[in-house]
Structure formats: structure tokens, C-alpha cells
Amino acid sequence: MGKVLIMDHPLVKHKITLMRDERTDTKEFRILVREVAMLMGYEAMRDLPTELVSVKTPITETKQPMITHNKVALVPILRAGLGMVDGLLSLVPNAKVGHIGLARDEETHLPYEYYCKLPRNISDMTVVLPDPMLATGGSAIHAVDFIKQKGGRNIKFMCIIAAPEGLDALQKAHPDIDIFVGCLDEGLNENAYIIPGLGDAGDRIFGTL
Ligand code: PRP
Ligand code: URA
């Protein structure tokens, strides 16, 4: 059974409130996405494997833990997930980065895939899937299905804002994965946008409003 962690930290709450504000411009929004991703990444990376390496301090030789190289794959869900990559890379600079391109059909709200490139050997890696928004859950479920088909086993999904509907759907579809949520919102409107949410995350990150 995977775990679900809903962030409970004033820094994360404060930054998400700034992101929600419609007056927050693209430049500031991008900075906030990166910062929230980094703060959430601290929790998401908590169980990364470490190994003992030799290090010589000014006092003596010792063996101390370091993150095992090449064991993390970041696979942002395009477009909006891209905004979270830099913050996560600042924590795990050696991570491999794959991409999965999904967009929601505006009528049906169902995701369709338009691009995919993954690192090799993801079955041995912790695969972190960042996407700022978990609305109906369709995109996240599709992305996790795909990663599993390609052999991924240790999967963590990270979103900045989730609707309860999307979180339930993702947990039901993939009870084995870990899910990290910045803030759990009230629900969805008739267009499957999160309420109160922050609008269209991709448009706000890339200035395509
Ligand atoms: C947004 C968001 C998620 C998806 C969430 O992407 O970044 O990927 O919607 O909605 P769901 O949970 O109902 O599937 P969008 O399809 O707008 O594409 P974009 O990132 O290119 O803007
Ligand atoms: N995608 C977004 O970017 N925002 C929402 O509220 C729902 C889906």
C-alpha cells in the first residue's frame, strides 16, 4: 500500500496561496512552482536509497551515507509538470529526466498522449511523476499506467493541488504508489477545473493565457 502525504507546512501553504492569486504573474508563478516542488521534494525523496562511501574529513577517514547514483527518474507530465523539474533537480541533480506528454480533451476532459521518452532501466529506479494539478485524476492514472507498462515499480506522484475526486480515483487505480499533495482543495467545477484551484497551471507557467 502506498502512502498519501498532504503537506502541512506553513511555507508550502503560503506559497500555494500566492500561486492561487490571479494577480501573480508568469515570472512569479514559475518561481513559486519551482520552490513548492523543492519543498515537497524534500518529503518525496525521504526514502531514497543511500550507500556508505569513504570520505576523508580534516580529522579522519570515515564511511558516510550518500544517495545512490542514477536511481532517480523524474518524469514530468507535460506541459505543466515541467515547471516542477528544476526545483526537484536542485535536490537530486543526478536524476534522469523523462517526459510524458498528456493533454486533456476540452470536451470530454479525458487525457490523450502526444509524446513520451523515458530513461532506460526505470524498473530499478524511483520514478517521480510531477504535475501541479490532479483534477479528475485521468492524466495521472494514464501516466502511472504507462510507467508501469514500461516496468516502473517504485512510483511517486507529486501534485501541488489536488481535488478529492482525483485523489480518490488515483488511489483506487494505483493503490501501490506514493502520492504527495501540496494542498487538497474542495472539488471540481462543471469544466473539471479545481475549486478554488489556481486556474490552468500550464497556461500560468508558460504565459499562454
Ligand atoms: C492539466 C494538468 C494535469 C491535468 C489534470 O494539464 O497539468 O496534467 O490537466 O487534469 P485531470 O486530473 O483531470 O486529468 P492539461 O491537460 O491542461 O495540459 P497542459 O499541462 O499542457 O496545460
Ligand atoms: N488542469 C489545470 O491546469 N487546472 C485545473 O484546475 C484542472 C486541470
Side-chain angles (χ1 to χ4, degrees):
M1 196 64 182
K3 68 175 169 220
V4 176
L5 181 73
I6 298 173
M7 299 293 290
D8 182 25
H9 195 293
L11 285 173
V12 173
K13 292 180 185 188
H14 177 87
K15 289 177 191 297
I16 293 177
T17 300
L18 291 173
M19 290 175 69
R20 295 183 191 279
D21 191 329
E22 63 179 6
R23 295 169 303 178
T24 299
D25 66 13
T26 298
K27 178 177 169 233
E28 189 60 24
F29 192 86
R30 267 191 214 135
I31 293 170
L32 290 162
V33 172
R34 191 179 69 214
E35 290 174 342
V36 172
M38 190 174 75
L39 292 168
M40 292 183 65
Y42 177 80
E43 290 298 343
M45 310 286 173
R46 189 175 276 286
D47 57 3
L48 286 188
T50 57
E51 58 194 349
L52 292 179
V53 299
S54 294
V55 57
K56 195 162 175 297
T57 76
I59 309 298
T60 186
E61 186 104 22
T62 175
K63 281 191 182 285
Q64 297 294 331
M66 284 193 83
I67 305 282
T68 309
H69 265 295
N70 297 331
K71 287 291 181 199
V72 181
L74 305 178
V75 185
I77 301 177
L78 305 182
R79 284 177 303 170
L82 276 180
M84 298 172 73
V85 171
D86 274 359
L88 296 170
L89 278 177
S90 62
L91 300 176
V92 282
N94 291 312
K96 309 279 186 204
V97 182
H99 297 90
I100 175 160
L102 295 178
R104 292 199 316 177
D105 182 282
E106 286 189 4
E107 301 284 314
T108 64
H109 310 133
L110 294 172
Y112 61 91
E113 191 178 312
Y114 59 87
Y115 182 78
C116 188
K117 181 88 181 165
L118 297 180
R120 284 190 202 160
N121 304 328
I122 58 164
S123 52
D124 301 335
M125 303 173 111
T126 299
V127 183
V128 180
L129 286 175
D131 187 336
M133 309 304 275
L134 178 65
T136 64
S139 303
I141 291 169
H142 185 101
V144 176
D145 282 341
F146 186 80
I147 297 291
K148 285 184 174 175
Q149 277 165 31
K150 297 289 174 192
R153 289 176 299 174
N154 182 6
I155 301 171
K156 297 173 188 292
F157 177 82
M158 294 177 65
C159 63
I160 295 178
I161 296 184
E165 296 90 327
L167 183 57
D168 282 354
L170 181 57
Q171 275 189 287
K172 284 203 179 91
H174 294 293
D176 54 311
I177 70 166
D178 291 340
I179 305 174
F180 298 86
V181 177
C183 185
L184 188 61
D185 270 13
E186 289 163 24
L188 297 173
N189 70 12
E190 62 284 3
N191 295 318
Y193 272 79
I194 299 175
I195 309 169
L198 49 71
D200 187 305
D203 283 344
R204 295 198 64 186
I205 291 169
F206 295 107
T208 48
L209 287 167

